[in-house]
């Protein structure tokens, strides 16, 4: 049993032969930043997802650095750095197109923390020690620190063992931690699926029981999490798990409701599995295509299946506006993305009219996405009078799909 009690708790240390991370696997920019901070007398470590992923032999998305230097001290020490954030300051260090995030150790704030009456933490932005920083993180596997000077992993919460056992555990009391920040419910699902982890029965129960608190999460934060769930190559699995755990209805109620219809569900799952295949091939994905898929069943409920040449554009547009507005109550969708979604949907009518009046349609910036979407609908068994075949055979040659351009 891991002792999650912070008091009198010294960390486990794991040397390189135990964790097997090689220094050359570490991003050179992050190393440079850490070395600079160390030279100026500060402690600095790699932390979080990058250590977890390296231990699991996966490619980290980014390398986060954490230090005892304040944002102002980091800015003074590291060239090309910029303080960001108002509520809690972080430092972004730019090198070419890459940005490395450097943050100061934080603590949960104890009695100073302010919470809503549902237990959701509103303010927990306090500087702290490395130990406090370790305990304020969400899951044990995300709370490992690597000191690149001696290549030792510092583990206050038992994350290294959990990672080796492929087990997801909250740091501390899961009921409390999920309530404090319900977004952790979504993060848990994502780690579970993406990292192929086991879930303790008690944590599974808590995820289900507290899922309703996701309604309290601001739409902008939900949007970010939805993108992480469905644009990183494991969308189908994530979607299935969210449905199974009855979480989806609190995250994307419109989509979840439509999934009681097997046809709609299999349309979405097929589209997501297609997106996963694109990620594996290194092809891009965009939020607009994702949302055009997730909201399509809700839209067709309003306008009827768009499979005849009779559906009129203004009707479609009106319903598009309604469905996107409804979705906005749960999940922020940027205006730019909204416009792209609508264009993809409009193409579902335009592409039913073939041959087209003008060849210009082929160079429309949303043509490929609209066409890809049409194929997904046909794959789901909708009869579109041979539209997919016609557009496939008659468009200028192109080997790759531009789904998201
Ligand atoms: P990913 O691979 O998706 O980036 P990550 O674990 O690195 O996974 P980030 O959102 O980059 O996720 O967060 C970095 C670290 O910050 C996490 O590893 C975790 O330690 C901590 N963290 C992030 N979100 C929370 C949260 N809601 N509550 C507590 N700690 C969090
Ligand atoms: Mg990360």
């Amino acid at each position: 049993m891991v002792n999650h009690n912070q008091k009198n708790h010294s960390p486990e240390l794991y040397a390189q032969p135990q964790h097997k991370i090689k220094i050359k696997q570490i991003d050179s920019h992050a190393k440079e930043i850490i070395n600079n901070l160390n030279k100026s007398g500060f402690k600095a470590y790699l932390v979080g997802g990058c250590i977890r992923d390296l231990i699991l032999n996966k490619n980290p998305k980014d390398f986060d650095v954490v230090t005892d230097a304040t944002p102002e001290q980091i800015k003074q020490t590291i060239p090309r750095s910029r303080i960001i954030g108002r509520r809690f300051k972080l430092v972004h260090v730019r090198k070419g197109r890459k940005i490395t995030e450097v943050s100061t150790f934080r603590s949960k704030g104890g009695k100073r923390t302010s919470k809503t009456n549902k237990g959701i933490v509103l303010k927990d932005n306090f500087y702290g020690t490395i130990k406090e920083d370790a305990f304020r993180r969400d899951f044990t596997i995300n709370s490992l620190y690597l000191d690149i000077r001696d290549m030792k992993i510092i583990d206050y919460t038992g994350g290294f063992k959990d990672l080796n056992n492929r087990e997801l555990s909250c740091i501390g009391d899961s009921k409390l931690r999920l309530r404090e920040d319900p977004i952790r419910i979504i993060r848990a699902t994502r780690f579970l699926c993406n990292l192929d982890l086991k879930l303790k029965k008690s944590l599974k129960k808590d995820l289900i029981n507290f899922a309703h608190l996701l309604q309290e999460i601001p739409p902008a934060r939900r949007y970010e999490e939805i993108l992480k769930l469905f644009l990183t190559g494991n969308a189908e699995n994530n979607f299935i798990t969210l449905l199974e755990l009855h979480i989806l209805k609190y995250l994307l109620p419109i989509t979840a409701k439509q999934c009681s219809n097997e046809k709609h569900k299999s349309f979405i799952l097929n589209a997501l599995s297609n997106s996963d295949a694109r990620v594996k091939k290194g092809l891009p994905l965009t939020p607009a295509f994702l949302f055009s898929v997730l909201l399509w069943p809700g839209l067709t409920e309003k306008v009827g299946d768009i499979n005849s040449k009779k559906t009129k554009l203004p009707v479609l547009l009106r319903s598009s506006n309604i469905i996107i507005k409804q979705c906005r109550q749960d999940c922020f969708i940027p205006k730019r993305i909204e416009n792209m979604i609508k264009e993809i949907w409009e193409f579902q009518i335009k592409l039913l009219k073939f041959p087209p009046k003008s060849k210009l349609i082929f160079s429309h910036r949303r043509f490929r996405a609209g066409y890809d979407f049409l194929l997904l609908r046909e794959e789901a068994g909708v009869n579109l009078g041979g539209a997919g075949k016609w557009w496939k055979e008659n468009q200028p040659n192109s080997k790759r799909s531009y789904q998201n351009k």
Side-chain angles (χ1 to χ4, degrees):
M1 179 77 186
V2 177
N3 177 12
H4 284 161
N5 185 351
Q6 286 191 50
K7 287 180 199 126
N8 310 320
H9 189 73
S10 50
E12 296 285 338
L13 298 177
Y14 295 94
Q16 201 280 333
Q18 290 166 287
H19 61 70
K20 298 190 177 60
I21 300 174
K22 298 189 190 78
I23 187 89
K24 66 171 188 228
Q25 289 176 282
I26 291 161
D27 176 75
S28 57
H29 188 217
K31 274 191 275 200
E32 195 181 308
I33 293 169
I34 293 177
N35 288 334
N36 268 339
L37 286 164
N38 287 160
K39 267 186 224 150
S40 302
F42 298 111
K43 296 191 179 100
Y45 307 92
L46 285 166
V47 67
C50 62
I51 305 304
R52 176 198 73 211
D53 292 350
L54 285 173
I55 294 173
L56 292 178
N57 261 325
K58 290 184 184 284
N59 263 344
K61 272 208 310 268
D62 39 40
F63 286 79
D64 292 332
V65 174
V66 70
T67 173
D68 61 353
T70 62
E72 288 74 20
Q73 288 169 324
I74 302 169
K75 193 173 176 341
Q76 278 164 14
T77 314
I78 313 287
R80 297 180 304 276
S81 58
R82 196 163 69 92
I83 297 179
I84 60 146
R86 253 179 303 159
R87 210 178 77 132
F88 198 78
K89 291 180 189 165
L90 300 170
V91 178
H92 275 179
V93 188
R94 185 178 280 279
K95 187 163 193 180
R97 290 181 66 189
K98 192 188 290 169
I99 290 176
T100 301
E101 199 170 282
V102 185
S103 51
T104 307
F105 293 141
R106 281 158 64 179
S107 81
K108 294 208 295 186
K111 291 201 175 101
R112 290 172 292 174
T113 316
S114 56
K115 293 184 181 180
T116 68
N117 57 3
K118 293 202 168 114
I120 297 172
V121 166
L122 293 171
K123 189 166 178 283
D124 65 343
N125 295 322
F126 306 98
Y127 294 137
T129 62
I130 179 171
K131 189 167 162 182
E132 288 168 323
D133 191 80
F135 283 96
R136 65 110 190 148
R137 290 175 186 270
D138 50 1
F139 301 100
T140 61
I141 59 168
N142 288 341
S143 184
L144 298 170
Y145 298 74
L146 179 71
D147 188 336
I148 62 166
R149 289 173 300 183
D150 58 8
M151 287 304 279
K152 280 199 178 131
I153 281 184
I154 305 166
D155 178 6
Y156 282 94
T157 64
F160 190 73
K161 282 192 186 128
D162 282 344
L163 209 46
N164 282 321
N165 296 330
R166 299 239 162 194
E167 209 163 74
L168 186 70
S169 320
C170 271
I171 297 174
D173 174 7
S174 53
K175 289 184 176 52
L176 187 72
R177 299 307 311 280
L178 298 179
R179 208 181 295 133
E180 270 175 9
D181 184 3
I183 212 79
R184 291 173 186 149
I185 296 165
I186 304 298
R187 290 174 57 82
T189 320
R190 184 157 59 85
F191 297 132
L192 211 61
C193 296
N194 294 8
L195 308 174
D196 200 16
L197 304 177
K198 287 177 292 209
L199 189 58
K200 274 191 208 137
K201 250 196 185 152
S202 60
L203 182 52
K204 184 173 173 180
K205 236 169 97 185
D206 292 339
L207 293 180
I208 296 171
N209 287 342
F210 291 113
H212 67 96
L213 288 176
L214 282 167
Q215 296 167 112
E216 312 288 323
I217 298 289
R221 218 166 153 218
R222 283 152 167 266
Y223 177 72
E224 291 304 319
E225 286 304 318
I226 288 170
L227 299 190
K228 285 194 197 170
L229 280 165
F230 300 127
L231 294 182
T232 51
N234 215 349
E236 190 185 9
N237 254 332
N238 273 312
F239 193 86
I240 292 171
T241 308
L242 288 169
L243 268 178
E244 275 173 7
L245 298 179
H246 309 287
I247 297 174
L248 195 71
K249 63 178 176 190
Y250 299 112
L251 188 66
L252 281 165
I254 301 174
T255 309
K257 190 171 152 233
Q258 297 299 329
C259 283
S260 54
N261 177 328
E262 276 305 315
K263 259 194 185 162
H264 290 331
K265 184 171 151 188
S266 70
F267 166 75
I268 292 178
L269 288 179
N270 179 49
L272 296 180
S273 125
N274 248 280
S275 304
D276 291 341
R278 286 178 63 89
V279 174
K280 285 185 187 90
K281 286 188 212 151
L283 298 171
L285 294 178
T286 59
F289 198 85
L290 172 69
F291 278 96
S292 65
V293 166
L294 294 174
L295 298 177
W296 178 254
L299 180 77
T300 58
E301 193 186 60
K302 290 208 180 312
V303 286
D305 217 0
I306 300 167
N307 56 9
S308 79
K309 295 177 188 180
K310 286 181 200 142
T311 319
K312 296 272 185 293
L313 268 177
V315 177
L316 179 88
L317 262 180
R318 222 176 301 132
S319 301
S320 305
N321 285 332
I322 296 173
I323 204 95
I324 291 174
K325 195 170 162 200
Q326 262 176 22
C327 178
R328 275 237 170 89
Q329 291 170 7
D330 311 301
C331 172
F332 165 80
I333 297 182
K335 195 73 193 160
R336 189 178 59 88
I337 303 296
E338 173 179 338
N339 292 337
M340 287 163 80
I341 298 170
K342 287 191 208 154
E343 282 176 335
I344 294 171
W345 287 346
E346 276 172 40
F347 261 101
Q348 303 316 300
I349 292 184
K350 290 183 187 161
L351 294 178
L352 293 178
K353 298 184 183 110
F354 51 88
K357 278 191 194 133
S358 155
K359 284 221 154 92
L360 279 176
I361 190 167
F362 290 111
S363 50
H364 189 288
R365 59 194 172 152
R366 223 59 71 204
F367 170 78
R368 284 305 301 212
Y371 164 71
D372 283 349
F373 196 95
L374 187 94
L375 294 188
L376 287 176
R377 294 175 58 215
E378 284 191 336
E379 278 172 29
V382 185
N383 181 358
L384 299 176
K389 186 166 178 280
W390 192 91
W391 289 100
K392 185 175 183 187
E393 287 169 359
N394 291 282
Q395 64 187 279
N397 262 348
S398 140
K399 285 203 185 83
R400 74 192 185 94
S401 164
Y402 293 89
Q403 182 190 121
N404 302 300
K405 280 213 156 177

